[in-house]
Amino acid sequence: ILPTPMDQAVPPAKPSVRFLLVEDHPQDVRLLQEAFRETRFSATLEAYPDAESAWAALQLAVGRRGA
């Protein structure tokens, strides 16, 4: 008897999490990116070197979601 798709356990979908990081030291950004790669959940790290560029990205993201 061959297993059917219903017989095979399907792991639950991993939540997708987005983090916004404001950090002006590239080494710290790389360290955090490495830590995120080692996590067991799906995470996206968006890093910006200053508050102004992070704020602009947030406004753009909110504008896209509202459209």
Side-chain angles (χ1 to χ4, degrees):
I1 298 177
L2 296 173
T4 65
M6 294 300 289
D7 295 331
Q8 299 172 352
V10 176
K14 296 180 179 181
S16 181
V17 180
R18 289 174 59 190
F19 290 91
L20 183 138
L21 174 67
V22 180
E23 177 58 64
D24 62 348
H25 292 99
Q27 302 87 343
D28 292 338
V29 173
R30 279 194 295 275
L31 182 64
L32 202 51
Q33 286 171 330
E34 186 176 324
F36 274 42
R37 276 193 292 275
E38 294 175 5
T39 62
R40 297 182 68 120
F41 63 92
S42 175
T44 301
L45 178 64
E46 296 180 28
Y48 298 91
D50 55 56
E52 186 176 313
S53 59
W55 180 247
L58 279 173
Q59 289 179 315
L60 232 138
V62 169
R64 271 184 271 161
R65 199 176 320 151

